[in-house]
């Protein structure tokens, strides 16, 4: 595959013509940056890394930035065309996937081959519809990106491919002449209706120089009604009785010409063709009996013209070639006529040999990409056809190659780049689609069909899709709001579904991590933890929990409790999630559990539920979910519960648990480990370590008094001592 070169010009120019040296001397150079989203480039001037001496040279800090792309993104009707045909492409991939799952080769299944043929016809019909739309003379809100002629080329190429390579199952060996002639008459209309109307309006149409070429062309193309009309005119009005007689015999011959589609069995068609040929021979004998002096009517040598027509009916190849050259017809017309008159049993496998002979005398136009694609398809050279199609339209070559590989027209083995021929062309088409980032859904579908290399490219596209979680723009506001309500919606939902469909779990997790980071910035910690959990990003989960706890340090208990309110469901899902590839490490679970329980503790305190708050504080210590750095904070927060003068909220055993934790903190601080136990309390109180120790001494005194009260009034029963 050869890469085409693209030359771009900066407008307005970055520097004047012949001023490159002055630009270099100014200490600047030309730099570019490639967009990771669509491969467009930004070109701009930057200071040279090692500039020449440029003292006294100055230039404005304002500079032009040029944006360019080697391919124009699809616009207008082209975008609709691409979107619509991508549905057919997806159907082809589904068919191939099901076939592989059954272990059945496409070529071995008539049902699958029929389905492939139908999908090829769907492509053809879309090309046709776009051609007809582009040819309409209507007022358009947006200018066409490609004209009707371009889509007509796509239509002719795809329809020819379907005709030659995807016949109905059971008809692979059937004569192909009728189908080729039908294809020729649909796409290359000759003669025109206007010519026929003009000739039919004349009293003596044979006097017009265009009459005999028109009549000959209608015979070549099998347009028997038009031929019969003008032959009847000759039979009734021409002054030559010889021509009148011959025209009367020729007209029924043309209208009764046997065509394959008229017969249920090929044998019956062959018999009818032989009998018809015998009648043509009789006509030739009649024609040869016309005296030489009667063969010209003063306007034309009608005998020569009629002899050519009879020669066509006789199936004389030399006559057909001579007539086609005289009519300025090309090789396609010769080959199509060949299957109608010369070799009525010509099959698809016979075409390459016949076409090669014709092309020796009537070669295709090398400047006409459409004609080159046609000739390669006729010659049975699909690889060459793809090469020519690539020069015509990247859409055409990608979808032709996609259908050629499963029916084994091209090699499916990968090359040194680890891509098969089909994958090369489909990947190039995906690159083209990537010029419009909004088409990312379609782009990844094409790349995911291109093996490991394509999957890696598609992964990179998904990772760069803007999730628009901030709700920027009216169109995304509702979706962003739904996501914040806990629903999977918008682009985030589409990306997740795409990852699931193509089993790209690692990419889905990465995207969830990206979403989690966005929610962390917005302090939507419930959503952040939920997406960290979905991504199995336990480090990220730990960071989110740490940030939640930071809110307690910075804002205090009330805002902290409000932030944590939406986190509890995440803890429940972590506990019940048995499908995770890697279970959440206990340290992160405990940290999350502590944040939730700590918030509940403060909610109960604030609402006046002292008994519940006391139970929460002791339970957290007993269950060992409180990080050591937070022991001192929880002990200080429990102080007011110990000092409650109206109720005894802790049992003596509970008081012992609190005293044990307090003594542990004081002992470790005394051993020089204060950095592990006091920093959080210092930050909460916004004071130093000395003040923190004083606070803990207040807690110690309160605990001692509380325990004494327990013994005095028998609350919870006196234990045998502090037991620490």
């Amino acid at each position: 595959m050869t890469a085409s070169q693209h030359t771009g010009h900066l407008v307005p120019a970055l520097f004047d013509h012949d001023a490159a040296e002055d630009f270099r001397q100014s200490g600047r150079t030309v730099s570019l940056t490639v967009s990771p989203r669509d491969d467009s480039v930004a070109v701009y001037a930057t200071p040279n890394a090692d500039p020449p001496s440029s003292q006294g040279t100055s230039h404005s800090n304002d500079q032009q930035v040029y944006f360019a792309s080697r391919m124009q993104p699809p616009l207008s009707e082209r975008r609709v065309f691409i979107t619509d045909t991508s549905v057919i492409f997806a159907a082809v991939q589904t068919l191939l996937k099901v076939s592989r799952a059954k272990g059945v080769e496409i070529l071995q299944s008539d049902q699958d081959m029929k389905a492939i043929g139908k999908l090829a016809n769907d492509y053809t019909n879309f090309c046709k519809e776009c051609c007809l739309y582009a040819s309409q003379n209507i007022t358009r809100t947006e200018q066409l990106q490609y004209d009707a002629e371009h889509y007509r080329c796509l239509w002719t190429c795809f329809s020819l491919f379907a005709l030659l390579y995807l016949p109905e199952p059971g008809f692979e060996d059937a004569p192909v002449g009728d189908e080729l002639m039908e294809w020729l008459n649909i796409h290359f209309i000759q003669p025109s209706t206007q010519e026929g109307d003009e000739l039919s309006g004349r009293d003596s149409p044979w006097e017009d120089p265009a009459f005999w070429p028109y009549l000959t062309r209608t015979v070549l193309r099998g347009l028997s009604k038009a031929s019969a009309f003008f032959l009847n005119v000759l039979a009734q009005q021409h002054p030559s009785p010889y021509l009148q007689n011959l025209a009367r015999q020729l007209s029924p011959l043309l209208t009764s010409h046997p065509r394959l589609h008229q017969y249920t069995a090929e044998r019956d068609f062959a018999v009818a063709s032989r009998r018809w040929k015998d009648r043509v021979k009789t006509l030739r004998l009649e024609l040869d009996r016309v005296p030489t002096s009667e063969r010209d009517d003063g306007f034309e040598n009608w005998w020569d013209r009629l002899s050519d027509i009879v020669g066509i009916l006789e199936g004389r190849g030399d006559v057909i070639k001579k007539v086609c050259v005289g009519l300025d017809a090309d090789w396609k017309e010769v080959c199509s006529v060949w299957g109608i008159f010369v070799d009525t049993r010509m099959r698809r496998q016979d075409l390459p040999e016949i076409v090669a002979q014709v092309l020796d005398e009537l070669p295709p136009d090398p400047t006409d990409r459409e004609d080159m694609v046609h000739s390669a398809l006729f010659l049975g050279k699909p690889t060459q056809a793809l090469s020519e199609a690539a020069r015509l339209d990247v859409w055409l070559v990608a979808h032709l190659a996609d259908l050629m590989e499963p029916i084994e027209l091209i090699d499916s083995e990968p090359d040194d780049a680890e891509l098969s021929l089909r994958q090369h062309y489909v990947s190039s088409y995906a690159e083209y689609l990537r010029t419009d980032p909004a088409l990312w859904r379609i782009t990844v579908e094409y790349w995911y069909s291109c093996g490991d290399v394509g999957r890696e490219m598609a992964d990179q596209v998904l990772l760069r899709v803007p999730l628009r979680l901030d709700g920027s723009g009216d169109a995304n506001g509702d979706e962003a709001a739904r996501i914040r309500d806990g629903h999977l919606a918008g682009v985030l939902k589409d990306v997740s579904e795409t990852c699931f469909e193509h089993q790209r779990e690692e990419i889905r997790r990465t995207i969830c991590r990206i979403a989690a980071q966005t929610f962390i910035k917005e302090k939507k910690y419930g959503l952040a933890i939920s997406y960290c959990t979905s991504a199995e990003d336990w480090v990220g989960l730990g960071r989110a929990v740490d940030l939640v706890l930071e809110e307690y340090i910075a804002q205090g208990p009330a805002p902290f409790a409000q932030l944590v309110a939406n986190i509890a469901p995440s803890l429940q899902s972590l506990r019940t999630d048995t499908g995770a590839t890697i279970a959440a490490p206990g340290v992160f679970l405990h940290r999350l559990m502590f944040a939730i329980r700590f918030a509940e503790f403060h909610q109960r305190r604030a609402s006046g539920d002292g008994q519940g708050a006391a139970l929460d504080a002791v339970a957290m210590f007993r269950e060992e979910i409180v990080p050591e750095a937070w022991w001192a904070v929880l002990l200080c927060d429990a102080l007011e519960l110990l000092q409650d003068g109206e109720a005894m909220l802790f049992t003596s055993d509970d008081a012992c648990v609190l005293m044990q934790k307090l003594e542990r903190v004081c002992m470790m601080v005394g051993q020089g480990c204060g950095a592990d136990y006091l920093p959080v309390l210092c930050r909460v109180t916004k004071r130093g370590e000395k003040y923190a120790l004083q606070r803990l001494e207040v807690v110690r005194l309160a605990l001692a008094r509380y325990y004494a009260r327990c013994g005095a009034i028998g609350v919870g029963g006196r234990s045998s001592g502090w037991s620490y």
Side-chain angles (χ1 to χ4, degrees):
M1 296 175 64
T2 59
S4 57
Q5 295 182 347
H6 300 266
T7 301
H9 300 277
L10 304 183
V11 179
L14 190 58
F15 48 82
D16 294 333
H17 187 61
D18 297 331
E21 182 60 25
D22 294 340
F23 179 79
R24 190 183 69 82
Q25 291 295 331
S26 72
R28 292 178 294 167
T29 187
V30 177
S31 299
L32 65 84
T33 301
V34 180
S35 167
R37 289 187 61 201
D38 57 9
D39 277 350
S40 60
V41 295
V43 183
Y44 49 92
T46 56
N48 202 327
D50 185 20
S53 176
S54 56
Q55 293 182 356
T57 302
S58 63
H59 43 78
S60 173
N61 290 330
D62 296 333
Q63 60 176 327
Q64 298 282 356
V65 178
Y66 303 86
F67 296 95
S69 177
R70 64 187 180 90
M71 290 184 285
Q72 185 179 9
L75 305 170
S76 185
E77 89 299 333
R78 177 70 166 186
R79 208 167 188 274
V80 176
F81 178 70
I82 283 171
T83 304
D84 289 346
T85 53
S86 70
V87 177
I88 307 172
F89 177 83
V92 173
Q93 305 317 303
T94 301
L95 174 65
L96 298 178
K97 183 178 179 181
V98 171
S99 180
R100 284 192 293 266
K102 294 188 298 186
V104 177
E105 294 290 336
I106 292 288
L107 283 173
Q108 306 305 317
S109 170
D110 286 350
Q111 181 179 358
D112 289 346
M113 284 299 295
K114 188 173 183 179
I116 286 284
K118 181 182 180 303
L119 292 169
N121 289 331
D122 288 341
Y123 280 130
T124 301
N125 289 332
F126 269 107
C127 295
K128 174 184 176 182
E129 289 178 14
C130 207
C131 173
L132 296 177
Y133 169 76
S135 64
Q136 292 176 357
N137 186 19
I138 58 176
T139 302
R140 306 180 192 275
T141 57
E142 196 174 6
Q143 186 177 358
L144 293 173
Q145 187 170 19
Y146 291 94
D147 59 16
E149 176 62 17
H150 183 81
Y151 290 106
R152 187 199 63 78
C153 292
L154 301 186
W155 179 16
T156 66
C157 292
F158 228 108
S159 60
L160 181 62
F161 165 73
L163 186 161
L164 294 178
Y165 296 94
L166 291 170
E168 282 280 332
F171 288 85
E172 296 87 352
D173 293 327
V176 73
D178 277 354
E179 293 176 76
L180 286 178
M181 184 56 72
E182 182 183 12
W183 173 81
L184 187 73
N185 284 331
I186 289 174
H187 299 290
F188 303 93
I189 299 174
Q190 286 291 344
S192 68
T193 304
Q194 183 180 358
E195 290 179 78
D197 292 342
E198 290 176 356
L199 289 172
S200 63
R202 295 177 65 91
D203 293 333
S204 303
W206 59 86
E207 297 177 0
D208 193 309
F211 174 78
W212 284 103
Y214 177 89
L215 181 59
T216 306
R217 201 67 172 266
T218 60
V219 173
L220 276 174
R221 293 296 189 98
L223 306 176
S224 56
K225 289 184 179 180
S227 304
F229 173 82
F230 285 105
L231 286 172
N232 289 337
V233 170
L234 292 176
Q236 296 171 13
Q237 301 178 22
H238 196 276
S240 170
Y242 294 101
L243 180 54
Q244 290 181 12
N245 178 50
L246 291 169
R248 290 191 191 96
Q249 296 182 56
L250 180 58
S251 181
L253 262 180
L254 294 176
T255 55
S256 64
H257 184 201
R259 306 295 285 268
L260 180 62
H261 65 269
Q262 299 169 343
Y263 298 86
T264 56
E266 187 180 342
R267 180 178 178 278
D268 295 338
F269 167 68
V271 171
S273 295
R274 283 197 298 271
R275 291 174 178 171
W276 184 81
K277 286 281 188 181
D278 291 340
R279 293 168 60 193
V280 173
K281 291 178 181 177
T282 301
L283 181 62
R284 167 60 72 182
L285 294 175
E286 289 288 330
L287 183 63
D288 289 343
R289 293 193 186 103
V290 176
T292 304
S293 59
E294 299 293 332
R295 296 180 179 183
D296 195 311
D297 59 8
F299 299 98
E300 186 81 46
N301 188 321
W302 61 261
W303 190 93
D304 286 342
R305 294 291 193 174
L306 202 62
S307 179
D308 286 343
I309 291 175
V310 174
I312 293 170
L313 303 187
E314 290 173 323
R316 292 169 56 186
D318 56 332
V319 173
I320 290 173
K321 292 176 184 177
K322 182 195 77 172
V323 168
C324 285
V325 169
L327 294 173
D328 200 24
D330 66 2
W331 62 271
K332 292 189 291 293
E333 189 149 356
V334 175
C335 294
S336 300
V337 172
W338 205 274
I340 298 296
F341 294 109
V342 180
D343 184 359
T344 58
R345 303 185 71 177
M346 181 180 71
R347 308 176 195 282
R348 286 170 173 81
Q349 56 266 37
D350 302 328
L351 266 178
E353 182 179 353
I354 294 170
V355 173
Q357 295 174 4
V358 173
L359 290 178
D360 285 341
E361 299 180 40
L362 296 171
D365 182 356
T367 64
D368 186 339
R369 296 301 176 200
E370 178 193 14
D371 203 36
M372 295 302 291
V373 173
H374 292 163
S375 64
L377 290 173
F378 267 94
L379 287 168
K381 297 179 178 180
T383 302
Q384 181 180 331
L386 292 178
S387 179
E388 297 295 343
R391 295 179 173 88
L392 179 59
D393 192 314
V394 66
W395 177 92
L396 177 64
V397 68
H399 293 85
L400 284 177
D402 185 53
L403 295 179
M404 284 183 179
E405 186 178 277
I407 60 175
E408 300 180 9
L409 291 177
I410 56 176
D411 193 1
S412 61
E413 291 300 314
D415 57 12
D416 293 340
E418 299 182 8
L419 290 171
S420 67
L421 185 59
R422 171 206 168 272
Q423 290 170 350
H424 268 295
Y425 287 122
V426 173
S427 183
S428 296
Y429 179 63
E431 284 281 5
Y432 163 67
L433 295 179
R434 194 163 169 254
T435 58
D436 183 353
L439 294 175
W440 65 265
R441 297 169 183 82
I442 300 175
T443 303
V444 298
E445 291 297 328
Y446 281 90
W447 252 325
Y448 275 133
S449 73
C450 294
D452 292 339
V453 174
R455 281 189 284 271
E456 291 178 8
M457 298 293 287
D459 289 348
Q460 295 305 311
V461 172
L462 288 180
L463 290 174
R464 288 166 172 79
V465 173
L467 299 179
R468 306 190 188 283
L469 300 176
D470 57 357
S472 58
D474 295 337
N476 301 300
D478 293 342
E479 294 175 352
R482 291 192 65 209
I483 291 173
R484 278 155 180 73
D485 289 338
H487 302 288
L488 190 63
V491 176
L492 185 58
K493 179 182 179 182
D494 293 342
V495 173
S496 296
E497 289 178 347
T498 301
C499 290
F500 178 78
E501 180 183 349
H502 295 284
Q503 301 178 353
R504 310 307 290 172
E505 180 61 18
E506 187 58 37
I507 302 304
R508 186 196 67 80
R509 292 178 189 168
T510 301
I511 291 167
C512 285
R513 285 196 289 270
I514 294 170
Q517 292 168 9
T518 301
F519 293 130
I520 285 174
K521 292 177 182 177
E522 298 179 4
K523 296 187 178 181
K524 302 288 185 182
Y525 294 112
L527 285 170
I529 290 174
S530 175
Y531 278 94
C532 284
T533 302
S534 181
E536 298 184 18
D537 178 15
W538 310 127
V539 174
L541 173 66
R543 177 172 173 269
V545 175
D546 287 343
L547 290 172
V548 171
L549 294 173
E550 284 290 325
E551 292 296 323
Y552 173 83
I553 297 171
Q555 304 294 335
F560 165 72
Q562 188 175 359
L563 280 173
V564 176
N566 296 323
I567 295 180
S570 299
L571 176 61
Q572 182 64 25
S573 67
L574 275 171
R575 284 173 166 172
T576 58
D577 186 8
T578 58
T581 307
I582 304 175
V587 62
F588 298 121
L589 271 176
H590 284 119
R591 198 180 303 178
L592 176 59
M593 194 181 305
F594 167 68
I596 295 171
R597 296 281 292 277
F598 191 47
E600 291 173 351
F601 163 76
H602 280 289
Q603 284 175 333
R604 289 192 170 96
R605 276 184 59 200
S607 64
D609 182 11
Q611 186 66 65
L615 290 173
D616 277 347
V618 175
M620 282 189 280
F621 276 127
R622 281 199 169 115
E623 294 170 17
E624 298 183 348
I625 64 171
V626 186
E628 291 180 344
W630 285 81
W631 283 11
V633 177
L634 182 54
L635 288 168
C636 290
D637 287 346
L639 178 60
E640 71 175 36
L641 302 176
L642 292 168
Q643 295 175 335
D644 192 313
E646 298 179 0
M648 300 293 289
L649 303 176
F650 297 93
T651 66
S652 58
D653 286 342
D654 293 343
C656 287
V657 171
L658 297 179
M659 183 57 77
Q660 288 171 4
K661 299 301 181 183
L662 177 60
E663 289 301 318
R664 172 74 176 175
V665 172
C666 293
M667 180 181 67
M668 296 305 293
V669 171
Q671 294 177 0
C673 298
D676 295 332
Y677 290 86
L678 297 181
V680 177
L681 181 58
C682 292
R683 294 178 62 200
V684 171
T685 59
K686 297 179 174 60
R687 306 284 284 274
E689 185 174 311
K690 182 178 179 181
Y691 179 78
L693 290 173
Q694 290 174 355
R695 290 286 298 167
L696 291 176
E697 285 302 319
V698 174
V699 175
R700 182 195 296 276
L701 180 59
L703 274 170
R705 288 174 177 172
Y706 188 89
Y707 191 76
R709 289 173 63 195
C710 288
I713 63 177
V715 175
R718 177 182 287 277
S719 60
S720 58
W722 289 113
S723 301
Y724 57 83

